[in-house]
Amino acid sequence: MKKLSAFILIPIILVSLVCAWWIVPTKMIRITPQEVLKIEIFNGNNGQEVVITDRSEIEHIINNINSISFRKDKISIGYMGYSFRTTIYKSNGKIYKTFIINSEDTIRKDPFFYSDSTGSIDYNFIKDLFEKNSK
């Protein structure tokens, strides 16, 4: 009888843990703007790249992404194309994190898409950086 209850209880616990892991919101980054040397953003729509070293622009992007809690949305494996591949470099020059900003409510960090139900990603700020740097 003990083996049967353990046989049933263990899968229930495992399924519960996986569900909790999937549902619980997560932060995409946990870094202060002062720890960031630069941010490179590659535009997958047109092939342009901007390197952001301006402290106010770094602060805006980092504070924006830091302020959002994301939820796993779906598996991203097999999807092609993207809007803005974003690479954050720490002050020591090493890569801190790379992810893709697809829209004002979706980030892709393989193997998942993460969504923000409030649409709080300042997508237009990033688009404007490309317009500003193309002049």
Side-chain angles (χ1 to χ4, degrees), residues 9-84:
L9 189 58
I10 290 174
I12 290 172
I13 291 171
L14 289 174
V15 167
S16 298
L17 289 173
V18 168
C19 287
W21 172 75
W22 186 269
I23 293 171
V24 173
T26 186
K27 296 287 187 176
M28 189 57 55
I29 60 173
R30 295 177 192 274
I31 191 169
T32 65
Q34 295 75 22
E35 295 175 273
V36 176
L37 174 68
K38 66 181 177 177
I39 301 172
E40 292 178 349
I41 303 177
F42 181 83
N43 187 331
N45 298 309
N46 63 19
Q48 290 182 304
E49 182 176 51
V50 294
V51 178
I52 302 160
T53 56
D54 178 87
R55 298 311 306 166
S56 64
E57 292 171 348
I58 288 173
E59 188 171 312
H60 181 86
I61 292 168
I62 297 299
N63 287 339
N64 175 241
I65 302 298
N66 267 336
S67 70
I68 303 169
S69 292
F70 294 91
R71 293 184 189 260
K72 288 178 187 71
D73 191 20
K74 61 183 176 182
I75 302 290
S76 64
I77 296 171
Y79 283 86
M80 303 290 286
Y82 55 87
S83 290
F84 301 121

Coordinates of all heavy atoms in Angstrom, one line a residue, residues 9-84:
L9 N 1.8 9.7 -5.5 CA 2.2 11.0 -4.9 C 3.4 11.7 -5.6 O 3.3 12.9 -5.9 CB 2.5 10.8 -3.4 CG 2.7 12.1 -2.6 CD1 1.4 13.0 -2.7 CD2 3.0 11.7 -1.2
I10 N 4.4 10.9 -5.9 CA 5.6 11.5 -6.6 C 5.3 12.2 -7.9 O 5.6 13.3 -8.1 CB 6.7 10.5 -6.7 CG1 7.2 10.2 -5.3 CG2 7.8 11.0 -7.6 CD1 8.2 9.1 -5.2
P11 N 4.5 11.5 -8.8 CA 4.2 12.2 -10.1 C 3.3 13.5 -9.9 O 3.5 14.5 -10.6 CB 3.4 11.2 -10.9 CG 3.9 9.9 -10.3 CD 4.1 10.1 -8.9
I12 N 2.4 13.5 -8.9 CA 1.6 14.6 -8.6 C 2.5 15.8 -8.1 O 2.3 16.9 -8.6 CB 0.5 14.3 -7.5 CG1 -0.5 13.4 -8.2 CG2 -0.1 15.6 -7.0 CD1 -1.5 12.8 -7.2
I13 N 3.4 15.5 -7.3 CA 4.4 16.5 -6.8 C 5.2 17.1 -8.0 O 5.4 18.3 -8.1 CB 5.3 16.0 -5.7 CG1 4.4 15.7 -4.4 CG2 6.4 17.0 -5.4 CD1 5.2 15.0 -3.3
L14 N 5.7 16.2 -8.8 CA 6.5 16.6 -9.9 C 5.7 17.5 -10.9 O 6.2 18.6 -11.4 CB 7.1 15.4 -10.7 CG 8.2 14.7 -9.9 CD1 8.6 13.5 -10.7 CD2 9.4 15.6 -9.7
V15 N 4.5 17.1 -11.2 CA 3.6 17.9 -12.1 C 3.3 19.3 -11.5 O 3.4 20.3 -12.1 CB 2.3 17.1 -12.4 CG1 1.3 18.1 -13.1 CG2 2.7 15.9 -13.3
S16 N 3.1 19.3 -10.2 CA 2.8 20.5 -9.5 C 4.0 21.5 -9.5 O 3.9 22.7 -9.7 CB 2.5 20.3 -8.0 OG 1.3 19.5 -7.9
L17 N 5.2 20.9 -9.3 CA 6.4 21.8 -9.4 C 6.7 22.3 -10.8 O 7.0 23.5 -10.9 CB 7.7 20.9 -8.9 CG 7.7 20.6 -7.5 CD1 8.9 19.7 -7.2 CD2 7.9 21.9 -6.6
V18 N 6.5 21.5 -11.8 CA 6.6 22.0 -13.2 C 5.6 23.1 -13.5 O 5.9 24.1 -14.1 CB 6.5 20.8 -14.2 CG1 6.4 21.3 -15.6 CG2 7.7 19.9 -14.1
C19 N 4.4 22.9 -13.1 CA 3.3 23.9 -13.3 C 3.7 25.2 -12.6 O 3.5 26.3 -13.2 CB 2.0 23.4 -12.8 SG 1.3 22.2 -13.9
A20 N 4.1 25.1 -11.4 CA 4.5 26.3 -10.6 C 5.7 27.0 -11.3 O 5.7 28.3 -11.4 CB 4.9 26.0 -9.2
W21 N 6.7 26.3 -11.8 CA 7.8 26.8 -12.5 C 7.4 27.5 -13.7 O 7.9 28.6 -14.1 CB 8.8 25.7 -12.8 CG 10.0 26.1 -13.7 CD1 11.0 26.8 -13.3 CD2 10.1 25.8 -15.1 NE1 11.9 27.0 -14.4 CE2 11.3 26.3 -15.5 CE3 9.3 25.1 -16.0 CZ2 11.8 26.2 -16.8 CZ3 9.8 25.0 -17.3 CH2 11.0 25.5 -17.7
W22 N 6.4 27.0 -14.4 CA 5.9 27.6 -15.7 C 5.1 28.9 -15.4 O 5.3 29.9 -16.1 CB 5.1 26.6 -16.4 CG 4.7 27.1 -17.8 CD1 3.5 27.8 -18.1 CD2 5.4 26.9 -19.0 NE1 3.5 28.1 -19.5 CE2 4.7 27.5 -20.0 CE3 6.6 26.3 -19.3 CZ2 5.1 27.6 -21.3 CZ3 7.0 26.3 -20.6 CH2 6.3 26.9 -21.6
I23 N 4.3 28.9 -14.4 CA 3.4 30.0 -14.1 C 4.0 31.2 -13.4 O 3.7 32.3 -13.6 CB 2.2 29.5 -13.3 CG1 1.4 28.5 -14.2 CG2 1.3 30.6 -12.8 CD1 0.3 27.8 -13.4
V24 N 5.0 30.9 -12.5 CA 5.6 32.0 -11.6 C 6.3 33.0 -12.5 O 7.1 32.6 -13.3 CB 6.5 31.4 -10.6 CG1 7.3 32.4 -9.8 CG2 5.8 30.5 -9.6
P25 N 6.0 34.3 -12.3 CA 6.7 35.3 -13.1 C 8.2 35.4 -12.8 O 8.6 35.0 -11.7 CB 6.0 36.6 -12.7 CG 4.7 36.2 -12.0 CD 5.0 34.8 -11.5
T26 N 8.9 35.8 -13.8 CA 10.4 35.9 -13.6 C 10.9 37.2 -14.1 O 10.2 37.8 -15.0 CB 11.1 34.7 -14.3 OG1 12.5 34.7 -14.0 CG2 10.9 34.7 -15.8
K27 N 12.0 37.6 -13.7 CA 12.7 38.8 -14.2 C 13.6 38.4 -15.3 O 14.3 37.4 -15.2 CB 13.5 39.5 -13.1 CG 12.6 40.1 -12.0 CD 11.8 41.3 -12.5 CE 11.1 41.9 -11.3 NZ 10.4 43.2 -11.7
M28 N 13.7 39.1 -16.4 CA 14.6 38.8 -17.5 C 16.0 39.1 -17.1 O 16.9 38.4 -17.5 CB 14.1 39.5 -18.8 CG 14.9 39.1 -20.0 SD 14.7 37.3 -20.4 CE 13.0 37.0 -20.4
I29 N 16.2 40.3 -16.5 CA 17.5 40.7 -16.1 C 17.5 41.2 -14.6 O 16.4 41.6 -14.1 CB 18.1 41.8 -17.0 CG1 17.2 43.0 -17.0 CG2 18.3 41.3 -18.4 CD1 17.8 44.2 -17.7
R30 N 18.6 41.1 -14.0 CA 18.8 41.6 -12.6 C 20.1 42.3 -12.6 O 21.1 41.7 -12.1 CB 18.7 40.5 -11.6 CG 17.3 39.8 -11.5 CD 17.3 38.7 -10.5 NE 16.2 37.9 -10.6 CZ 15.0 38.1 -9.9 NH1 14.9 39.2 -9.2 NH2 14.0 37.3 -10.1
I31 N 20.2 43.5 -13.1 CA 21.4 44.2 -13.2 C 21.1 45.7 -13.1 O 20.0 46.1 -13.5 CB 22.2 43.9 -14.5 CG1 23.6 44.4 -14.5 CG2 21.4 44.4 -15.7 CD1 24.5 43.9 -15.6
T32 N 22.0 46.5 -12.5 CA 21.8 47.9 -12.4 C 22.4 48.6 -13.6 O 23.4 48.0 -14.2 CB 22.4 48.5 -11.1 OG1 23.8 48.3 -11.2 CG2 21.9 47.8 -9.8
P33 N 21.9 49.7 -14.0 CA 22.5 50.4 -15.1 C 24.0 50.7 -14.9 O 24.7 50.7 -15.9 CB 21.7 51.7 -15.2 CG 20.4 51.4 -14.6 CD 20.7 50.4 -13.5
Q34 N 24.4 50.9 -13.7 CA 25.8 51.3 -13.4 C 26.7 50.1 -13.7 O 27.9 50.3 -14.0 CB 26.0 51.7 -12.0 CG 25.3 53.0 -11.6 CD 23.8 52.9 -11.5 OE1 23.2 51.8 -11.2 NE2 23.1 54.0 -11.7
E35 N 26.2 48.9 -13.7 CA 27.0 47.7 -14.0 C 27.1 47.4 -15.5 O 27.8 46.5 -15.9 CB 26.3 46.5 -13.4 CG 26.3 46.5 -11.8 CD 25.6 45.3 -11.3 OE1 24.3 45.4 -11.2 OE2 26.2 44.3 -11.0
V36 N 26.4 48.2 -16.3 CA 26.4 47.9 -17.8 C 27.4 48.9 -18.5 O 27.4 50.1 -18.3 CB 25.0 48.2 -18.3 CG1 24.9 48.0 -19.8 CG2 24.0 47.2 -17.7
L37 N 28.2 48.2 -19.3 CA 29.2 49.0 -20.1 C 28.5 49.5 -21.4 O 28.6 50.6 -21.8 CB 30.4 48.1 -20.5 CG 31.4 48.7 -21.5 CD1 32.2 49.8 -20.8 CD2 32.4 47.6 -21.9
K38 N 27.8 48.6 -22.1 CA 27.2 48.9 -23.3 C 26.1 47.9 -23.6 O 26.0 46.8 -23.0 CB 28.1 48.9 -24.5 CG 28.7 47.6 -24.8 CD 29.7 47.7 -26.0 CE 30.3 46.3 -26.3 NZ 31.2 46.3 -27.4
I39 N 25.2 48.3 -24.5 CA 24.1 47.4 -25.0 C 24.2 47.4 -26.6 O 24.2 48.5 -27.2 CB 22.7 47.8 -24.6 CG1 22.7 47.9 -23.1 CG2 21.7 46.9 -25.1 CD1 21.4 48.5 -22.5
E40 N 24.3 46.2 -27.1 CA 24.3 46.1 -28.6 C 22.9 45.6 -29.0 O 22.4 44.6 -28.4 CB 25.4 45.1 -29.1 CG 26.8 45.6 -28.9 CD 27.8 44.6 -29.4 OE1 27.5 43.5 -29.7 OE2 29.0 45.1 -29.4
I41 N 22.3 46.2 -30.0 CA 21.0 45.8 -30.4 C 21.1 45.7 -31.9 O 21.4 46.6 -32.7 CB 19.9 46.8 -30.0 CG1 19.8 47.0 -28.5 CG2 18.5 46.3 -30.6 CD1 18.8 48.0 -28.0
F42 N 20.8 44.5 -32.4 CA 20.8 44.2 -33.9 C 19.3 44.1 -34.3 O 18.5 43.3 -33.7 CB 21.5 42.8 -34.1 CG 21.5 42.5 -35.6 CD1 22.5 43.0 -36.4 CD2 20.6 41.6 -36.2 CE1 22.6 42.7 -37.8 CE2 20.6 41.3 -37.5 CZ 21.6 41.9 -38.3
N43 N 19.0 44.8 -35.3 CA 17.7 44.9 -35.9 C 17.5 43.8 -36.9 O 18.1 43.8 -38.0 CB 17.4 46.3 -36.5 CG 15.9 46.4 -36.9 OD1 15.2 45.5 -37.2 ND2 15.5 47.7 -36.9
G44 N 16.7 42.7 -36.6 CA 16.5 41.6 -37.5 C 15.6 41.9 -38.6 O 15.5 41.2 -39.6
N45 N 15.0 43.1 -38.6 CA 14.1 43.5 -39.7 C 14.9 44.1 -40.9 O 14.5 44.0 -42.0 CB 13.1 44.5 -39.2 CG 12.2 43.9 -38.2 OD1 11.6 42.8 -38.4 ND2 12.0 44.6 -37.1
N46 N 16.0 44.8 -40.6 CA 16.8 45.5 -41.6 C 18.3 45.3 -41.6 O 19.0 45.8 -42.4 CB 16.4 47.0 -41.6 CG 16.9 47.7 -40.3 OD1 17.7 47.2 -39.6 ND2 16.3 48.9 -40.1
G47 N 18.8 44.6 -40.6 CA 20.2 44.3 -40.5 C 21.1 45.4 -39.9 O 22.3 45.2 -39.9
Q48 N 20.5 46.4 -39.4 CA 21.2 47.5 -38.8 C 21.6 47.1 -37.3 O 20.9 46.3 -36.7 CB 20.5 48.8 -38.7 CG 20.3 49.5 -40.0 CD 19.5 50.8 -39.8 OE1 18.4 50.8 -39.3 NE2 20.1 51.9 -40.2
E49 N 22.6 47.7 -36.8 CA 23.0 47.5 -35.4 C 23.3 48.8 -34.8 O 23.9 49.7 -35.4 CB 24.2 46.5 -35.3 CG 24.6 46.2 -33.9 CD 25.7 45.2 -33.7 OE1 26.8 45.4 -34.4 OE2 25.5 44.3 -33.0
V50 N 22.9 49.0 -33.5 CA 23.3 50.1 -32.7 C 24.0 49.6 -31.5 O 23.7 48.6 -30.9 CB 22.1 51.0 -32.3 CG1 21.5 51.7 -33.5 CG2 21.1 50.3 -31.5
V51 N 25.1 50.4 -31.1 CA 25.8 50.1 -29.9 C 25.5 51.3 -29.0 O 25.8 52.4 -29.3 CB 27.3 50.0 -30.1 CG1 28.0 49.8 -28.8 CG2 27.6 48.8 -31.1
I52 N 24.9 51.0 -27.9 CA 24.4 52.0 -26.9 C 25.4 52.2 -25.8 O 25.7 51.2 -25.0 CB 23.0 51.7 -26.4 CG1 22.1 51.6 -27.5 CG2 22.6 52.8 -25.4 CD1 20.8 50.8 -27.2
T53 N 26.0 53.3 -25.7 CA 27.0 53.6 -24.6 C 26.5 54.8 -23.8 O 27.1 55.1 -22.8 CB 28.4 53.9 -25.2 OG1 28.4 54.9 -26.1 CG2 29.0 52.6 -25.8
D54 N 25.6 55.6 -24.3 CA 25.1 56.7 -23.6 C 24.4 56.3 -22.3 O 23.5 55.4 -22.3 CB 24.0 57.5 -24.5 CG 23.4 58.7 -23.9 OD1 24.0 59.8 -24.0 OD2 22.4 58.5 -23.2
R55 N 24.8 56.9 -21.2 CA 24.4 56.4 -19.9 C 22.9 56.6 -19.7 O 22.2 55.7 -19.1 CB 25.1 57.2 -18.8 CG 26.6 57.0 -18.7 CD 27.1 55.6 -18.8 NE 26.6 54.7 -17.8 CZ 26.7 53.4 -17.8 NH1 27.4 52.8 -18.8 NH2 26.1 52.6 -16.9
S56 N 22.3 57.7 -20.3 CA 20.8 57.8 -20.1 C 20.1 56.8 -20.9 O 19.0 56.3 -20.4 CB 20.4 59.3 -20.4 OG 20.6 59.5 -21.8
E57 N 20.5 56.4 -22.0 CA 19.9 55.4 -22.8 C 20.0 54.0 -22.2 O 19.0 53.3 -22.1 CB 20.4 55.4 -24.3 CG 20.0 56.7 -25.0 CD 20.7 56.8 -26.4 OE1 21.7 56.0 -26.7 OE2 20.3 57.6 -27.2
I58 N 21.2 53.7 -21.7 CA 21.4 52.5 -21.0 C 20.5 52.4 -19.8 O 19.8 51.4 -19.5 CB 22.9 52.3 -20.5 CG1 23.7 52.0 -21.8 CG2 23.0 51.2 -19.5 CD1 25.2 52.0 -21.5
E59 N 20.4 53.5 -19.0 CA 19.6 53.5 -17.8 C 18.1 53.3 -18.2 O 17.4 52.5 -17.5 CB 19.8 54.9 -17.1 CG 19.1 54.9 -15.8 CD 19.5 56.2 -15.0 OE1 20.7 56.5 -14.9 OE2 18.6 56.9 -14.5
H60 N 17.7 53.9 -19.2 CA 16.3 53.8 -19.6 C 16.0 52.3 -20.0 O 15.0 51.8 -19.5 CB 16.0 54.7 -20.8 CG 14.5 54.6 -21.2 ND1 13.5 55.4 -20.7 CD2 13.9 53.8 -22.2 CE1 12.4 55.1 -21.2 NE2 12.6 54.1 -22.1
I61 N 16.8 51.7 -20.8 CA 16.5 50.3 -21.2 C 16.6 49.4 -20.1 O 15.7 48.5 -19.9 CB 17.5 49.9 -22.4 CG1 17.2 50.7 -23.6 CG2 17.4 48.4 -22.7 CD1 18.3 50.6 -24.7
I62 N 17.7 49.5 -19.3 CA 17.8 48.5 -18.1 C 16.7 48.7 -17.1 O 16.2 47.7 -16.7 CB 19.2 48.7 -17.5 CG1 20.4 48.4 -18.5 CG2 19.4 47.9 -16.2 CD1 20.3 47.0 -19.0
N63 N 16.4 49.9 -16.8 CA 15.3 50.1 -15.8 C 14.0 49.6 -16.3 O 13.2 49.1 -15.6 CB 15.2 51.6 -15.4 CG 16.4 52.1 -14.5 OD1 17.0 51.2 -13.8 ND2 16.6 53.3 -14.5
N64 N 13.8 49.8 -17.6 CA 12.5 49.3 -18.2 C 12.4 47.8 -18.1 O 11.4 47.3 -17.6 CB 12.4 49.8 -19.7 CG 11.2 49.2 -20.4 OD1 11.3 48.5 -21.4 ND2 10.0 49.5 -19.9
I65 N 13.5 47.1 -18.6 CA 13.4 45.6 -18.6 C 13.4 45.1 -17.1 O 12.7 44.1 -16.8 CB 14.6 45.0 -19.4 CG1 14.5 45.5 -20.8 CG2 14.5 43.5 -19.3 CD1 13.3 45.1 -21.6
N66 N 14.2 45.7 -16.2 CA 14.2 45.3 -14.8 C 12.9 45.4 -14.2 O 12.5 44.7 -13.3 CB 15.2 46.2 -14.0 CG 16.6 45.6 -13.9 OD1 16.8 44.4 -14.1 ND2 17.6 46.5 -13.7
S67 N 12.1 46.4 -14.6 CA 10.8 46.6 -13.9 C 9.7 45.6 -14.3 O 8.6 45.7 -13.7 CB 10.3 48.0 -14.2 OG 9.9 48.2 -15.6
I68 N 9.9 44.8 -15.3 CA 8.9 43.9 -15.8 C 9.1 42.5 -15.3 O 10.2 41.9 -15.3 CB 8.9 43.9 -17.4 CG1 8.7 45.4 -17.9 CG2 7.8 43.0 -17.9 CD1 9.0 45.5 -19.4
S69 N 8.0 41.9 -14.9 CA 8.0 40.4 -14.6 C 7.3 39.7 -15.8 O 6.2 40.1 -16.2 CB 7.1 40.2 -13.3 OG 7.8 40.7 -12.2
F70 N 8.1 38.7 -16.3 CA 7.6 38.0 -17.5 C 7.1 36.6 -17.1 O 7.6 36.0 -16.1 CB 8.8 37.8 -18.5 CG 9.2 39.1 -19.1 CD1 10.2 39.9 -18.5 CD2 8.6 39.6 -20.2 CE1 10.6 41.1 -19.0 CE2 9.0 40.8 -20.8 CZ 10.0 41.5 -20.2
R71 N 6.2 36.1 -17.9 CA 5.8 34.7 -17.7 C 6.1 33.9 -19.0 O 6.1 34.4 -20.1 CB 4.3 34.6 -17.5 CG 3.8 35.2 -16.2 CD 2.3 35.1 -16.1 NE 1.8 35.8 -14.9 CZ 1.6 35.3 -13.7 NH1 1.8 34.0 -13.5 NH2 1.2 36.1 -12.8
K72 N 6.5 32.7 -18.8 CA 6.8 31.8 -19.9 C 5.5 31.7 -20.7 O 4.4 31.5 -20.2 CB 7.3 30.4 -19.4 CG 8.6 30.4 -18.9 CD 9.0 29.0 -18.4 CE 10.3 29.1 -17.7 NZ 10.3 29.7 -16.4
D73 N 5.6 31.8 -22.0 CA 4.4 31.8 -22.9 C 4.4 30.5 -23.7 O 3.4 29.8 -23.6 CB 4.5 33.0 -23.8 CG 3.2 33.2 -24.5 OD1 2.1 32.7 -24.1 OD2 3.2 33.9 -25.6
K74 N 5.4 30.3 -24.5 CA 5.4 29.0 -25.2 C 6.9 28.7 -25.6 O 7.8 29.5 -25.4 CB 4.6 29.1 -26.5 CG 5.0 30.2 -27.5 CD 4.0 30.3 -28.6 CE 4.4 31.5 -29.5 NZ 3.4 31.6 -30.6
I75 N 7.1 27.5 -26.1 CA 8.4 27.1 -26.6 C 8.8 27.9 -27.8 O 8.0 28.1 -28.7 CB 8.4 25.6 -26.9 CG1 8.0 24.8 -25.7 CG2 9.8 25.1 -27.4 CD1 9.0 24.7 -24.5
S76 N 10.1 28.4 -27.9 CA 10.5 29.2 -29.0 C 11.4 28.4 -30.0 O 11.8 28.9 -31.0 CB 11.3 30.4 -28.5 OG 12.5 30.0 -27.8
I77 N 11.7 27.2 -29.7 CA 12.5 26.4 -30.6 C 11.9 26.2 -31.9 O 10.7 25.9 -32.0 CB 12.8 25.0 -29.9 CG1 13.7 25.2 -28.7 CG2 13.6 24.1 -30.9 CD1 13.8 24.0 -27.8
G78 N 12.6 26.4 -33.0 CA 12.1 26.3 -34.3 C 11.6 27.6 -35.0 O 11.3 27.6 -36.1
Y79 N 11.4 28.6 -34.2 CA 11.0 29.9 -34.7 C 12.1 30.6 -35.3 O 13.2 30.7 -34.8 CB 10.3 30.7 -33.6 CG 8.9 30.3 -33.3 CD1 8.7 29.3 -32.3 CD2 7.8 30.8 -33.9 CE1 7.5 28.9 -32.0 CE2 6.5 30.4 -33.6 CZ 6.4 29.5 -32.6 OH 5.1 29.1 -32.3
M80 N 11.9 31.2 -36.5 CA 12.9 32.0 -37.2 C 12.6 33.5 -37.1 O 11.4 33.8 -37.0 CB 13.1 31.5 -38.6 CG 13.4 30.0 -38.7 SD 15.0 29.6 -38.2 CE 15.9 30.3 -39.6
G81 N 13.5 34.3 -37.3 CA 13.3 35.8 -37.4 C 13.1 36.4 -36.0 O 12.7 35.7 -35.1
Y82 N 13.3 37.7 -36.0 CA 13.2 38.4 -34.7 C 13.2 39.9 -35.0 O 13.6 40.4 -36.1 CB 14.2 38.1 -33.7 CG 15.7 38.2 -34.2 CD1 16.3 39.4 -34.1 CD2 16.3 37.1 -34.8 CE1 17.6 39.5 -34.5 CE2 17.6 37.2 -35.2 CZ 18.3 38.5 -35.1 OH 19.6 38.6 -35.6
S83 N 12.9 40.7 -34.0 CA 13.0 42.2 -34.2 C 14.3 42.7 -33.7 O 15.2 43.0 -34.5 CB 11.9 42.9 -33.4 OG 10.6 42.7 -34.1
F84 N 14.6 42.7 -32.4 CA 15.8 43.3 -31.8 C 16.5 42.3 -30.9 O 16.1 42.0 -29.8 CB 15.4 44.5 -31.0 CG 14.7 45.6 -31.7 CD1 13.5 46.0 -31.3 CD2 15.3 46.1 -32.8 CE1 12.8 47.0 -32.0 CE2 14.6 47.1 -33.6 CZ 13.4 47.6 -33.2

